[in-house]
Amino acid sequence: MKIKSSDFIISAVGEKQFPKDDLPEFALAGRSNVGKSSLINTIVNRRKLARTSQQPGKTQTLNFYLINEDLYLVDVPGYGYAKVSKKQRAKFGEMIQDYLETRADLKGLVLLVDARHDPTADDINMYNYALMLDIPILVVATKMDKLKKMEASQIKQKVGKSLDLNHDNVSFLPFSSVTKLNVDEFWNWIQANM
């Protein structure tokens, strides 16, 4: 897919603020420091469309990015590291759950996991929850450039030990924002599920 335009549209906290144009949407979920912003910037070939931060947990809203005026990527608040209160974390959870369970335009979920580590308990919970939503899921192993060749060749088996990837609507993709590994494959999955 050739990227002709990519724009940040809105930071939303509820349905009233969501775009009303009925375009397909793909949610991006993952731990706070897994590299969601870097992935967004890499796949649209722009340096600062999504803001990256040294401080995990900066995304506290649903951020809608319009791509080619054809679809939205929706960056949801990261889980795990965010230095926020339990009350605030519960609010994030509610907001994400409402969006994922009620949004008719949602066509798929991209779950990012850090290739350097085994999926966390939060990753496993998010994955199992996503399976219940019965939508296509793309598990993306980020930061592949940080792995040795041998580790990289076994990444699917490593992630597969924690997340059962053997489901009809689940795909897996190793990814690197540094080397741009599998950018085209990412877009192929998006297009196949629009």
Side-chain angles (χ1 to χ4, degrees):
M1 184 159 111
K2 191 167 170 32
I3 304 303
K4 299 186 276 288
S5 65
S6 54
D7 299 290
F8 169 73
I9 300 301
I10 191 168
S11 288
V13 293
E15 192 179 349
K16 286 184 178 128
Q17 298 172 307
F18 296 165
K20 306 277 190 284
D21 45 16
D22 294 328
L23 293 175
E25 296 173 4
F26 294 88
L28 278 70
R31 278 191 318 155
S32 294
N33 66 342
V34 76
K36 285 185 288 145
S37 297
S38 296
L39 177 134
I40 292 168
N41 291 334
T42 301
I43 62 174
V44 299
N45 203 21
R46 279 185 60 185
R47 290 182 72 154
K48 293 184 179 168
L49 178 64
R51 282 190 296 233
T52 57
S53 170
Q54 295 304 327
Q55 194 182 350
K58 277 293 192 197
T59 303
Q60 300 189 358
T61 53
L62 298 166
N63 293 330
F64 286 77
Y65 298 91
L66 180 60
I67 311 301
N68 288 353
E69 299 188 15
D70 286 337
L71 68 106
Y72 288 99
L73 295 178
V74 185
D75 185 7
V76 306
Y79 49 77
Y81 279 121
K83 289 182 179 171
V84 293
S85 67
K86 273 190 178 153
K87 190 176 171 186
Q88 188 71 26
R89 229 190 320 260
K91 232 185 203 169
F92 289 168
E94 248 173 67
M95 177 176 60
I96 295 166
Q97 190 174 349
D98 282 351
Y99 171 74
L100 294 177
E101 291 182 9
T102 64
R103 188 69 169 156
D105 297 325
L106 183 66
K107 302 299 179 199
L109 178 98
V110 179
L111 176 62
L112 282 66
V113 296
D114 189 328
R116 299 170 301 174
H117 311 291
D118 289 333
T120 65
D122 286 331
D123 291 329
I124 295 165
N125 288 339
M126 186 67 194
Y127 179 71
N128 290 333
Y129 171 63
L131 286 173
M132 291 186 326
L133 295 171
D134 199 29
I135 56 172
I137 301 166
L138 177 63
V139 177
V140 174
T142 62
K143 309 186 184 187
M144 288 296 294
D145 53 284
K146 306 227 188 280
L147 298 186
K148 294 183 173 80
K149 220 174 193 167
M150 186 66 167
E151 292 173 316
S153 70
Q154 297 171 346
I155 191 63
K156 189 171 182 181
Q157 294 91 310
K158 177 183 167 182
V159 172
K161 283 180 185 165
S162 303
L163 309 179
D164 177 10
L165 301 171
N166 296 315
H167 292 270
D168 289 341
N169 64 343
V170 175
S171 303
F172 179 81
L173 195 65
F175 185 85
S176 167
S177 295
V178 175
T179 66
K180 298 185 171 34
L181 174 70
N182 287 329
V183 168
D184 288 343
E185 288 74 7
F186 179 91
W187 286 119
N188 290 344
W189 181 85
I190 294 281
Q191 284 185 293
N193 290 291
M194 282 173 65

